[in-house]
Structure formats: C-alpha cells, structure tokens
Amino acid sequence: MERVYRAIVDWPKAALLIVAVATTLFAWHARATRLDASVETLLAEGDSDKAYYDEIRRLFGSDEIGVVGVITDDVYRPEVLEKIRRLTDEIAAIDGVAEVVSLTNAVDPVADVLDPPPLVDAIPRTPEESAALRAKLAERPIYLKNLVSADGHAAALNVFFEEVSDEEFARRGIDQAVQAIVARANGPEQVVYTGLPHFKVYAADAMWNDLARFVPIAFGIVVVVLALCFRSLRGVVLPLLAITVTLVWTLGIMALAGTPLSLGTLALPPLLLVLAGAYCLHVLADYYEAAAASASPREAVLHTLRSTGAPIVITAITTVIGFLSLVTNQIVSIRQLGLYASIGVAIAFVMSLVVVPAALAVLRLPRAVREDYSPAVSRFLAAVATFSIERRTAIIVATALLCAACLTQIPKIQVDNNLHSFFREDDPVRAATDAINENLVGSMAFYVAIDADKPGTMKKLDTLERIRALQKHVDSLPGVDKTISFVDYAELLDRGTQSAGAEGGDIIVDEQGNLVEGGAPSGERKTFWENPAQLDSVIQLVASSPKSFQRVVNADFSRTHILVRTTLARSSDIEALVREIHDFAARTFPPELRARATGNLILMMETTSDLVSGQIASLAMATVAIFAVMALMFLSVRIGLIAMVPNFVPVIVFFGLMGLTGAPLNLGTTIIASIVLGIVVDDTIHLMSRLSTEIKRTTEQETAMVRTFSSVGKPALFNSVLLFLGFASLATSTFVPLQQFGVLSAITILAAIVTELALFPALLATTRIITLWDLLGVKLGHDPHRTIPLFESLRPSQARLVALLAGLESHPQGQHVVRQGEIGDQMYVIIDGKAEVRVHANGHERKVRELGRGDVFGEMGLIRSHERTADVVATAPLEVMTVNESALARVQRRYPRTAAQIFRNLARILSDRLQSETARRGT
C-alpha cells in the first residue's frame, strides 16, 4: 500500500484527472438510469410459481385490471348511469385499453344466448324502470359486486389493458389518460381509480419524487455534519466531491448493466451518499491532526494515508460483507441492492483514499490548524470512556438485561409483504383502493387455476360440480368478495338457451352451434344440474365460439380457473385463504384434477418465506464473515467476539423493537440487520486500530482507551450522527416499507452509538489490543525461530505475536537499557543490535560481556523483582522485546500453546545460564 500512497501524493493532479475522465464517462451512461416499479422485482428469481403464473396469464389473460369506482347514493339514477356510460366510452377510446366492462355496456346472455343484447338497453328514466333494472341485476348474480354493489350505492368499470410491458404501459401514458378522465368526472359522485396497473405507475412516479427529495436531503445532511465537525471549506467541499463521484460511478455501472432502480433499490443513492461521506470524514479528521505537526501538504497527506488506509480498507470490507450478504436473498430487488451497494461502497472507499487525499496534496496546509478540533466533544468522549471503564460491571449487566428483554419480543414479529401496505393509509392510491373494497368488490384479484390430465375434462358434469363446490367454499371464506368461474358462464348460457326457446320449449344446439327448437315446454324448464342432458348444448355453444370464452376455459377443455376478488392484503391472511382453498380442493378433487392459486397477489404472499429465510441467511453470513474479519484483524477469536458484541447488541434491539411495535418483516425491514451490522462495525475498527497505536505509547490500557475515545472517537461519533440522519431521512418516503426501513435503521444506529460509547470501553478495559497490520509491521529479522532462542519451535507469525503482546522497545546507541542498582521486574530479548553488560565496583566500570541478537538479559527481574546487578548499554541502535509477568500472562491467556513453548524455551535458557554460571564458578 505504501507505493499506492506515495503515488497519490507524488502525482495528485494525475490521479484527479483520471478520476475526472472516468466520472465523465460514467455520468454519460448514468443519464439513462431507469425506474422499475413492476412487481417482478419484488418476487423471487427463477421461481417455479412465477413460471406457472406466467403460463396461466398467457392462457387466460392478465389478472391485472384497472377498476374505476363510481360511488353515490343511487347508481340507478339516470344522470349517474349517463356518467358511467360516458366514462366507459371515453376510457375504452384510450389507445392501450383493450376493453371496458360496466353496467352500460355489459351484455345479457340470459336474454339472448347467441346475440346477447346490452344489459342496460336504455337508460331508465322513471323510478319503475330503475326498479326493473335493479331486479334484473338481482337475478344475475354474476354482475353483482363485479359491476354494481348489492345496495346500489356504487358501480365499477373494469378496465382491461392491452398486453404490453410495464415500461411500454408507462411510456404510452395509458394510466395517466385514465386518471385524467376520472379526475374530470369527479363530482358530485365520488369517482376513484385503482388496480395493480395503476399501482405500478403511481409507484414509479412516487419513486421519482422520493429520489428528488432523498438526494438533496442526503447532500444537506453531509454538508451540515461536516461543517459542524471541521468548520472549514475544504472539510465540506472535498467530501462532497468524493460522494458525488461515488454516486455517478454507481449509477453509471447500473445503467451499463441494464439494471434500473426498483422499489427495493430506491434507498441506494442516499445510502451511498452518507456512507461515502462517513469514509471521507475519517480521512479528514486524521488529516487535520496530521497537518498540525507536518511541514508540508505532502507529509500531512502521506501520514493520513498511512494512519487511515488500513482501517478504512477493513471497514470497507465489513460494509461490503454486510451488503453482499443480501445477494443470498431470492428476491430480485434485494439481491440488486446488495450487489450495487457493495459496488458503491467499494467505490466510496477508493474515492476517500484517492480524491480527498489527492486534492489535499494539491492544496496548501490550513492556515489555522488546531490539533484538537471540537475540544468540547473530546472532553465529553473522554468523560464517557472513563465512566464506562469505572462502571463496567454495571454497564455489562444492564446491557445483558436489555438484550434479554428484546429477545422476548422477537417471537412477536410478523411477516407481511403486500402492495397495499406499501402506501400510507391517507395516500390517494390507497384511499381509492379502500373505497372500492368497502363499496364494491375487492380490488385485489388472483386465479384459482384448475388443471386436468385429459382434454375435455371441463365438459363433464361431475367436474363442474366439483368446481362449483370449490367456488361456493371460496365465496364463504373471510375476505372474499366475489368469485367468477366457467360454471357461472355455463349457468348463464343454460338459462339463455332456455329463454331463447321459451315459446316452444327448451332449445337444442347442434354440433355446429345452431339452435334447434324442441324439448320440454317452458313451464317444465330445468337447469343442467337437474337435467344433465342440457349440458351438451351449453358445451357446444362454448366450443363453437372458443374466442368468446377464452378467458375462462381453454380450447380443449382441460384447463379453467376461478377468478377470486378479495379485500385481503396482509400476507398472513392471504396465506390462510390459499391454504384453505388448497385443502378443500385436495379433499374433494380426484387425483387427475388439481387446483392451484396463482397471481401476483399470491406470488407476493409467497415471498414472505423468502423474506424469513433471506433474513436468516444474510444475517448469518454477515455475522460469520464480519467476525472472521475482526478475529483476523485483531489476531484473536476472543477479541473478535468482544468487537462483535457492541455491534450485535443494536441488531438485537432492532428485532426487539419490531416485535414490540408490531412493525412487520417486509421488503424494507428484512435488510436492516445485515446492512446495519456491516456499517456500525466500521467505528469499532477505527477505535480498536487507534487503541492499538495508543497502547504502544503507554503501558496503561485505561489511559490508552481514554485517549482513543477522545481522539478517533470524534469522527466515529460524527460518522454515527451522519448515518443516523441519513437513514432517518428515508422516513420522508412515499413508501411505507422504506419509511420503516429508515426509522428502524436510524434507531438501530442510535443504539449502536450508545453501545459503542458505553459498552465498548467496558468490554475492552482489561484486554490488550493488537492488530494484523501491527503484526505485519513487526521486524524480527530472518528466521527468528532459529536465531532467537526464546522463539525456538515457533512459527514467525507466533514469534511476532509474542513480541507484540510482550512489548518492543528501541534504544539509540549509548543509551542505558537497565542500570545497576535499579529495581527491575522484566527481562529483555535482543531482537536487533548490540549491547554490553557493564559492572561497577570500587568506583571502576568493567565490561562483563557483549550481547547480540537473541541474547537474554535481566531474567532474574522476571522471576523476582530485585536490584539489577549490572548496567546494559546499547553499543549500536538496539531493538529489544520486554517480557514481564503480566506479558507472559497475556500470552498464556490468548495463545496457551504458544505460551507453553515460550515457557519451555525460557526454562531451557535459564537452565543453560545456570549451568554456565555453575561451570564458570567451578573453574
């Protein structure tokens, strides 16, 4: 990394130019950023249920219809029916609308099966005519609720759109044209418009509005926090430059990959802005400290890169892990969020270590440099750290009790994922849906597809009987407003054929669909349920005009469906409804006949299991991977666990809050735990990295901790505030899941701030911290396990660990390491350099022996504190390892096997020293 750092400070203008050129290219592509409000991004990828629904949709047409509701005191009034007719004609004339079915244009096959007249032939002008129309509809239940409410207070226009893609649907402005007509027609009657196609377009518009709101708010939050932190122009402008580049690059990559922003990835731009700002904040905080002691910009920037580079690399890795864990989720938009957020974080990390340092290297040093910026914050953090260390037992116990309380709430968490709940209750689109649900038929629809093994199965009376029984059962279930099936059409045709032959008896249809008079007199007419022979005539009518009935039965009569209209929205309610439908079908259908609920509503419901499994998988992956990084970084499983505790406690608090408040696990909340875990651990890494440095400057762990929190704790605190406000800004979203994501994430970040400041010092109060880059930086020379007796049989990495846990000192030539007559309690191992042992006696100094690499001195001080019997003076620059009783205890506690070998080696060294001394005295 040193070469990279030097390249940045040596050629800063070249680095900035390269970034500028790349940003221009990505900005060009970012212009093509698209929004996708389709339901498909909220579903599992490669799902067999989705493939089955696509098949049913191609066969019977889409279950996605628009519904225009006209709500008044009496829809049978002439002026209301005129409005319905006008609305029907105007909407049907829109390019992209395939058909509109309403009271004023629906046909009446009961009156004439072959050439059915309009249901409402003429607008009624008198109370008697209105009453007659009301009575006619009461005799034709297929239209009740579907086109008019039973009480006559509301009527519906069902709008069927042409089969076009969601993008084409939005581009052609089909939905906007319907909305414009509805808006003009509103009053005195209430006219509302809803349905899944409208939901999609409305959601897309809301997404653009959210983006237009989120990005400026995020920029504003970054500006305010940076201004409060550094109170300088460069402290604000340079991070803004880096985060802008991060956002442009990420959006450009998404556009190049053909990936649009969706409901699941809408939060990506503001998240990247605050995360990139957080990285830059740490760099600038260290720069201002370095600038106070530096003679040139180059020196200050180089010191900054060396100090912050490694921690920022690790924090970027942990944050990427948190987001990448979402890639295991089966839901498309969540996977996309995980992937592109990971890419964005990686870009943010690079920009914080390239753009900001390069720009600082070009600029002059600040005129007024304060080594301790925000001194009041420093004093506050030092006081908090001191308090936490002194009250560590109480804090740890209180945290454990809080976690226990939160864990009791987790079983109360409910899973819910539905489009209806995506919008606030007072949102116009939801209000329109509620109005339709309350006054007419459920605005949400799905199919119960019925498949048979053999063609012609749907022609059989016993099959129709089973379908009718299933339909009646579905009608009786809570939340079901209306069902329509092939059986309803068959019954209408049955009545129509008999009406057509009313004068001369029932009619018979030949194989070509032609009517042949004959049969029973009109007074003895029966339905085909009572007289099965009549079913043949109905089936022949359907077979002779397959296009007319293609929405309810396929050409070879092997597949049909029941269209279910429902007011249910919660996933758990829909799941219970579907389970009851499937159970009834399993009890009453033969093996060769199968019923299966399908549709976008069902697919959304089925993603609840993906939400749960995805939550578990992503959180487990993030936890294990981040723990592995922390354990490796701090070279200890124990330290890795300690580092994870203050970061996992907020996650437990988050789940406890969900259970306590009733916030559901949905598309927005399912990603919080993994993301926040990957983010909040960043401050832990910076704190522990600085703690490792401070420990080298003082032997007092508590003093080192107070220094750490009063210095690097400041950018960590400002960083947490930045993240808190950034997430909280998402609460302004139009979409409820995104609001919940923002609020709960912000609360979790707040909990992380508290645990970082209060719990973390308490946990670290008695633990010595060393880092991976400390280990890599230890110079023990060539083959320390062979050239230094104390390290015999140890691997080089184990030798370096012992050196770090014990302690390393440097002494210039001529300096005394120990002095004769002093009380000492530690021994020394020479790592590099030379020294002499000198004894003072009778006013004279005598050289006893020379020491070199691997030699040990002062060993009696380790065994028992006593007066030094000689001076040890460095005769060349000297590097020594210091070992005392507490150092050996640390090694034994952290690495018992390594400690055992050290003890054996030490015993051998002392034994050899004793034997040598005995032999010397004996001679």
Side-chain angles (χ1 to χ4, degrees), residues 438-461:
E438 291 170 7
N439 292 279
L440 282 157
V441 66
S443 61
M444 297 298 175
F446 65 90
Y447 288 129
V448 178
I450 301 168
D451 299 322
D453 292 338
K454 297 179 180 179
T457 304
M458 302 308 162
K459 297 178 180 180
K460 299 178 181 179
L461 183 65

PDB file of all heavy atoms in Angstrom, residues 438-461:
ATOM      1  N   GLU A 438     -64.567  -1.246   0.097  1.00  0.00           N
ATOM      2  CA  GLU A 438     -65.683  -1.069   1.009  1.00  0.00           C
ATOM      3  C   GLU A 438     -67.023  -1.049   0.287  1.00  0.00           C
ATOM      4  O   GLU A 438     -68.037  -1.508   0.830  1.00  0.00           O
ATOM      5  CB  GLU A 438     -65.513   0.240   1.788  1.00  0.00           C
ATOM      6  CG  GLU A 438     -64.352   0.213   2.782  1.00  0.00           C
ATOM      7  CD  GLU A 438     -64.060   1.580   3.351  1.00  0.00           C
ATOM      8  OE1 GLU A 438     -64.860   2.515   3.067  1.00  0.00           O
ATOM      9  OE2 GLU A 438     -63.050   1.739   4.060  1.00  0.00           O
ATOM     10  N   ASN A 439     -67.057  -0.530  -0.921  1.00  0.00           N
ATOM     11  CA  ASN A 439     -68.336  -0.321  -1.597  1.00  0.00           C
ATOM     12  C   ASN A 439     -68.639  -1.324  -2.702  1.00  0.00           C
ATOM     13  O   ASN A 439     -69.797  -1.501  -3.059  1.00  0.00           O
ATOM     14  CB  ASN A 439     -68.370   1.090  -2.198  1.00  0.00           C
ATOM     15  CG  ASN A 439     -68.402   2.172  -1.137  1.00  0.00           C
ATOM     16  OD1 ASN A 439     -69.442   2.476  -0.580  1.00  0.00           O
ATOM     17  ND2 ASN A 439     -67.238   2.752  -0.868  1.00  0.00           N
ATOM     18  N   LEU A 440     -67.596  -1.947  -3.246  1.00  0.00           N
ATOM     19  CA  LEU A 440     -67.837  -2.854  -4.363  1.00  0.00           C
ATOM     20  C   LEU A 440     -67.200  -4.204  -4.092  1.00  0.00           C
ATOM     21  O   LEU A 440     -67.514  -4.872  -3.110  1.00  0.00           O
ATOM     22  CB  LEU A 440     -67.316  -2.241  -5.660  1.00  0.00           C
ATOM     23  CG  LEU A 440     -68.213  -1.164  -6.264  1.00  0.00           C
ATOM     24  CD1 LEU A 440     -67.417  -0.248  -7.161  1.00  0.00           C
ATOM     25  CD2 LEU A 440     -69.354  -1.808  -7.046  1.00  0.00           C
ATOM     26  N   VAL A 441     -66.296  -4.552  -4.951  1.00  0.00           N
ATOM     27  CA  VAL A 441     -65.641  -5.833  -4.851  1.00  0.00           C
ATOM     28  C   VAL A 441     -64.173  -5.583  -4.542  1.00  0.00           C
ATOM     29  O   VAL A 441     -63.643  -4.504  -4.824  1.00  0.00           O
ATOM     30  CB  VAL A 441     -65.781  -6.611  -6.185  1.00  0.00           C
ATOM     31  CG1 VAL A 441     -65.030  -5.932  -7.301  1.00  0.00           C
ATOM     32  CG2 VAL A 441     -65.356  -8.060  -6.042  1.00  0.00           C
ATOM     33  N   GLY A 442     -63.526  -6.556  -3.931  1.00  0.00           N
ATOM     34  CA  GLY A 442     -62.121  -6.431  -3.610  1.00  0.00           C
ATOM     35  C   GLY A 442     -61.306  -6.037  -4.824  1.00  0.00           C
ATOM     36  O   GLY A 442     -61.447  -6.623  -5.905  1.00  0.00           O
ATOM     37  N   SER A 443     -60.450  -5.035  -4.658  1.00  0.00           N
ATOM     38  CA  SER A 443     -59.670  -4.547  -5.789  1.00  0.00           C
ATOM     39  C   SER A 443     -58.519  -5.477  -6.135  1.00  0.00           C
ATOM     40  O   SER A 443     -57.924  -5.361  -7.200  1.00  0.00           O
ATOM     41  CB  SER A 443     -59.119  -3.151  -5.467  1.00  0.00           C
ATOM     42  OG  SER A 443     -58.265  -3.217  -4.334  1.00  0.00           O
ATOM     43  N   MET A 444     -58.196  -6.396  -5.240  1.00  0.00           N
ATOM     44  CA  MET A 444     -57.131  -7.355  -5.495  1.00  0.00           C
ATOM     45  C   MET A 444     -57.726  -8.663  -6.012  1.00  0.00           C
ATOM     46  O   MET A 444     -58.780  -9.094  -5.540  1.00  0.00           O
ATOM     47  CB  MET A 444     -56.322  -7.616  -4.223  1.00  0.00           C
ATOM     48  CG  MET A 444     -55.610  -6.389  -3.702  1.00  0.00           C
ATOM     49  SD  MET A 444     -54.412  -5.764  -4.912  1.00  0.00           S
ATOM     50  CE  MET A 444     -53.860  -4.275  -4.091  1.00  0.00           C
ATOM     51  N   ALA A 445     -57.056  -9.267  -6.985  1.00  0.00           N
ATOM     52  CA  ALA A 445     -57.604 -10.468  -7.603  1.00  0.00           C
ATOM     53  C   ALA A 445     -56.506 -11.513  -7.780  1.00  0.00           C
ATOM     54  O   ALA A 445     -55.322 -11.190  -7.867  1.00  0.00           O
ATOM     55  CB  ALA A 445     -58.218 -10.139  -8.967  1.00  0.00           C
ATOM     56  N   PHE A 446     -56.919 -12.767  -7.795  1.00  0.00           N
ATOM     57  CA  PHE A 446     -55.999 -13.845  -8.142  1.00  0.00           C
ATOM     58  C   PHE A 446     -56.787 -14.995  -8.746  1.00  0.00           C
ATOM     59  O   PHE A 446     -58.022 -15.042  -8.656  1.00  0.00           O
ATOM     60  CB  PHE A 446     -55.183 -14.306  -6.931  1.00  0.00           C
ATOM     61  CG  PHE A 446     -55.996 -14.945  -5.819  1.00  0.00           C
ATOM     62  CD1 PHE A 446     -56.230 -16.314  -5.790  1.00  0.00           C
ATOM     63  CD2 PHE A 446     -56.501 -14.174  -4.777  1.00  0.00           C
ATOM     64  CE1 PHE A 446     -56.957 -16.893  -4.772  1.00  0.00           C
ATOM     65  CE2 PHE A 446     -57.233 -14.750  -3.743  1.00  0.00           C
ATOM     66  CZ  PHE A 446     -57.463 -16.114  -3.737  1.00  0.00           C
ATOM     67  N   TYR A 447     -56.079 -15.895  -9.388  1.00  0.00           N
ATOM     68  CA  TYR A 447     -56.698 -17.060 -10.011  1.00  0.00           C
ATOM     69  C   TYR A 447     -56.600 -18.280  -9.098  1.00  0.00           C
ATOM     70  O   TYR A 447     -55.599 -18.447  -8.386  1.00  0.00           O
ATOM     71  CB  TYR A 447     -55.970 -17.428 -11.317  1.00  0.00           C
ATOM     72  CG  TYR A 447     -56.179 -16.496 -12.478  1.00  0.00           C
ATOM     73  CD1 TYR A 447     -55.084 -15.988 -13.181  1.00  0.00           C
ATOM     74  CD2 TYR A 447     -57.454 -16.151 -12.905  1.00  0.00           C
ATOM     75  CE1 TYR A 447     -55.259 -15.154 -14.272  1.00  0.00           C
ATOM     76  CE2 TYR A 447     -57.630 -15.312 -13.992  1.00  0.00           C
ATOM     77  CZ  TYR A 447     -56.540 -14.816 -14.669  1.00  0.00           C
ATOM     78  OH  TYR A 447     -56.719 -13.986 -15.745  1.00  0.00           O
ATOM     79  N   VAL A 448     -57.631 -19.110  -9.142  1.00  0.00           N
ATOM     80  CA  VAL A 448     -57.505 -20.492  -8.689  1.00  0.00           C
ATOM     81  C   VAL A 448     -57.564 -21.325  -9.959  1.00  0.00           C
ATOM     82  O   VAL A 448     -58.635 -21.597 -10.501  1.00  0.00           O
ATOM     83  CB  VAL A 448     -58.614 -20.893  -7.704  1.00  0.00           C
ATOM     84  CG1 VAL A 448     -58.451 -22.368  -7.305  1.00  0.00           C
ATOM     85  CG2 VAL A 448     -58.572 -20.010  -6.463  1.00  0.00           C
ATOM     86  N   ALA A 449     -56.383 -21.663 -10.479  1.00  0.00           N
ATOM     87  CA  ALA A 449     -56.313 -22.417 -11.737  1.00  0.00           C
ATOM     88  C   ALA A 449     -56.650 -23.880 -11.475  1.00  0.00           C
ATOM     89  O   ALA A 449     -56.256 -24.451 -10.461  1.00  0.00           O
ATOM     90  CB  ALA A 449     -54.915 -22.298 -12.334  1.00  0.00           C
ATOM     91  N   ILE A 450     -57.408 -24.459 -12.410  1.00  0.00           N
ATOM     92  CA  ILE A 450     -57.824 -25.863 -12.292  1.00  0.00           C
ATOM     93  C   ILE A 450     -57.319 -26.599 -13.521  1.00  0.00           C
ATOM     94  O   ILE A 450     -57.693 -26.268 -14.658  1.00  0.00           O
ATOM     95  CB  ILE A 450     -59.356 -25.978 -12.154  1.00  0.00           C
ATOM     96  CG1 ILE A 450     -59.812 -25.206 -10.905  1.00  0.00           C
ATOM     97  CG2 ILE A 450     -59.776 -27.436 -12.087  1.00  0.00           C
ATOM     98  CD1 ILE A 450     -61.294 -25.009 -10.809  1.00  0.00           C
ATOM     99  N   ASP A 451     -56.466 -27.579 -13.308  1.00  0.00           N
ATOM    100  CA  ASP A 451     -55.816 -28.326 -14.387  1.00  0.00           C
ATOM    101  C   ASP A 451     -56.264 -29.779 -14.361  1.00  0.00           C
ATOM    102  O   ASP A 451     -56.392 -30.393 -13.288  1.00  0.00           O
ATOM    103  CB  ASP A 451     -54.293 -28.279 -14.240  1.00  0.00           C
ATOM    104  CG  ASP A 451     -53.761 -26.855 -14.301  1.00  0.00           C
ATOM    105  OD1 ASP A 451     -54.289 -26.070 -15.095  1.00  0.00           O
ATOM    106  OD2 ASP A 451     -52.818 -26.544 -13.544  1.00  0.00           O
ATOM    107  N   ALA A 452     -56.508 -30.317 -15.538  1.00  0.00           N
ATOM    108  CA  ALA A 452     -56.866 -31.737 -15.675  1.00  0.00           C
ATOM    109  C   ALA A 452     -55.827 -32.438 -16.533  1.00  0.00           C
ATOM    110  O   ALA A 452     -55.133 -31.822 -17.342  1.00  0.00           O
ATOM    111  CB  ALA A 452     -58.249 -31.875 -16.305  1.00  0.00           C
ATOM    112  N   ASP A 453     -55.736 -33.741 -16.345  1.00  0.00           N
ATOM    113  CA  ASP A 453     -54.754 -34.522 -17.109  1.00  0.00           C
ATOM    114  C   ASP A 453     -55.189 -34.736 -18.550  1.00  0.00           C
ATOM    115  O   ASP A 453     -54.341 -34.877 -19.442  1.00  0.00           O
ATOM    116  CB  ASP A 453     -54.532 -35.884 -16.442  1.00  0.00           C
ATOM    117  CG  ASP A 453     -53.824 -35.750 -15.101  1.00  0.00           C
ATOM    118  OD1 ASP A 453     -53.159 -34.722 -14.905  1.00  0.00           O
ATOM    119  OD2 ASP A 453     -53.952 -36.662 -14.262  1.00  0.00           O
ATOM    120  N   LYS A 454     -56.506 -34.757 -18.785  1.00  0.00           N
ATOM    121  CA  LYS A 454     -57.000 -35.103 -20.120  1.00  0.00           C
ATOM    122  C   LYS A 454     -57.847 -33.980 -20.703  1.00  0.00           C
ATOM    123  O   LYS A 454     -58.583 -33.297 -19.975  1.00  0.00           O
ATOM    124  CB  LYS A 454     -57.847 -36.379 -20.053  1.00  0.00           C
ATOM    125  CG  LYS A 454     -57.069 -37.608 -19.596  1.00  0.00           C
ATOM    126  CD  LYS A 454     -57.980 -38.826 -19.543  1.00  0.00           C
ATOM    127  CE  LYS A 454     -57.237 -40.074 -19.078  1.00  0.00           C
ATOM    128  NZ  LYS A 454     -58.140 -41.243 -19.012  1.00  0.00           N
ATOM    129  N   PRO A 455     -57.786 -33.782 -22.027  1.00  0.00           N
ATOM    130  CA  PRO A 455     -58.682 -32.815 -22.689  1.00  0.00           C
ATOM    131  C   PRO A 455     -60.137 -33.230 -22.489  1.00  0.00           C
ATOM    132  O   PRO A 455     -60.464 -34.414 -22.363  1.00  0.00           O
ATOM    133  CB  PRO A 455     -58.278 -32.900 -24.162  1.00  0.00           C
ATOM    134  CG  PRO A 455     -56.889 -33.446 -24.143  1.00  0.00           C
ATOM    135  CD  PRO A 455     -56.827 -34.376 -22.977  1.00  0.00           C
ATOM    136  N   GLY A 456     -61.022 -32.228 -22.470  1.00  0.00           N
ATOM    137  CA  GLY A 456     -62.453 -32.499 -22.354  1.00  0.00           C
ATOM    138  C   GLY A 456     -62.943 -32.684 -20.943  1.00  0.00           C
ATOM    139  O   GLY A 456     -64.146 -32.853 -20.732  1.00  0.00           O
ATOM    140  N   THR A 457     -62.044 -32.647 -19.965  1.00  0.00           N
ATOM    141  CA  THR A 457     -62.463 -32.882 -18.583  1.00  0.00           C
ATOM    142  C   THR A 457     -63.451 -31.823 -18.111  1.00  0.00           C
ATOM    143  O   THR A 457     -64.381 -32.127 -17.355  1.00  0.00           O
ATOM    144  CB  THR A 457     -61.235 -32.905 -17.649  1.00  0.00           C
ATOM    145  OG1 THR A 457     -60.310 -33.898 -18.110  1.00  0.00           O
ATOM    146  CG2 THR A 457     -61.624 -33.212 -16.217  1.00  0.00           C
ATOM    147  N   MET A 458     -63.282 -30.569 -18.560  1.00  0.00           N
ATOM    148  CA  MET A 458     -64.162 -29.493 -18.108  1.00  0.00           C
ATOM    149  C   MET A 458     -65.553 -29.582 -18.731  1.00  0.00           C
ATOM    150  O   MET A 458     -66.432 -28.805 -18.366  1.00  0.00           O
ATOM    151  CB  MET A 458     -63.526 -28.128 -18.433  1.00  0.00           C
ATOM    152  CG  MET A 458     -62.156 -27.935 -17.821  1.00  0.00           C
ATOM    153  SD  MET A 458     -62.115 -28.272 -16.046  1.00  0.00           S
ATOM    154  CE  MET A 458     -60.354 -28.497 -15.788  1.00  0.00           C
ATOM    155  N   LYS A 459     -65.787 -30.513 -19.648  1.00  0.00           N
ATOM    156  CA  LYS A 459     -67.122 -30.714 -20.221  1.00  0.00           C
ATOM    157  C   LYS A 459     -68.002 -31.585 -19.333  1.00  0.00           C
ATOM    158  O   LYS A 459     -69.223 -31.622 -19.502  1.00  0.00           O
ATOM    159  CB  LYS A 459     -67.009 -31.369 -21.591  1.00  0.00           C
ATOM    160  CG  LYS A 459     -66.272 -30.553 -22.646  1.00  0.00           C
ATOM    161  CD  LYS A 459     -66.195 -31.328 -23.952  1.00  0.00           C
ATOM    162  CE  LYS A 459     -65.479 -30.557 -25.043  1.00  0.00           C
ATOM    163  NZ  LYS A 459     -65.412 -31.313 -26.327  1.00  0.00           N
ATOM    164  N   LYS A 460     -67.395 -32.288 -18.403  1.00  0.00           N
ATOM    165  CA  LYS A 460     -68.118 -33.282 -17.613  1.00  0.00           C
ATOM    166  C   LYS A 460     -68.869 -32.635 -16.459  1.00  0.00           C
ATOM    167  O   LYS A 460     -68.376 -31.712 -15.820  1.00  0.00           O
ATOM    168  CB  LYS A 460     -67.141 -34.324 -17.069  1.00  0.00           C
ATOM    169  CG  LYS A 460     -66.408 -35.105 -18.153  1.00  0.00           C
ATOM    170  CD  LYS A 460     -65.419 -36.087 -17.536  1.00  0.00           C
ATOM    171  CE  LYS A 460     -64.662 -36.864 -18.610  1.00  0.00           C
ATOM    172  NZ  LYS A 460     -63.673 -37.808 -18.031  1.00  0.00           N
ATOM    173  N   LEU A 461     -70.056 -33.181 -16.214  1.00  0.00           N
ATOM    174  CA  LEU A 461     -70.897 -32.625 -15.162  1.00  0.00           C
ATOM    175  C   LEU A 461     -70.255 -32.778 -13.790  1.00  0.00           C
ATOM    176  O   LEU A 461     -70.302 -31.847 -12.979  1.00  0.00           O
ATOM    177  CB  LEU A 461     -72.265 -33.320 -15.172  1.00  0.00           C
ATOM    178  CG  LEU A 461     -73.273 -32.763 -14.148  1.00  0.00           C
ATOM    179  CD1 LEU A 461     -73.638 -31.333 -14.492  1.00  0.00           C
ATOM    180  CD2 LEU A 461     -74.528 -33.640 -14.109  1.00  0.00           C
TER     181      LEU A 461
END
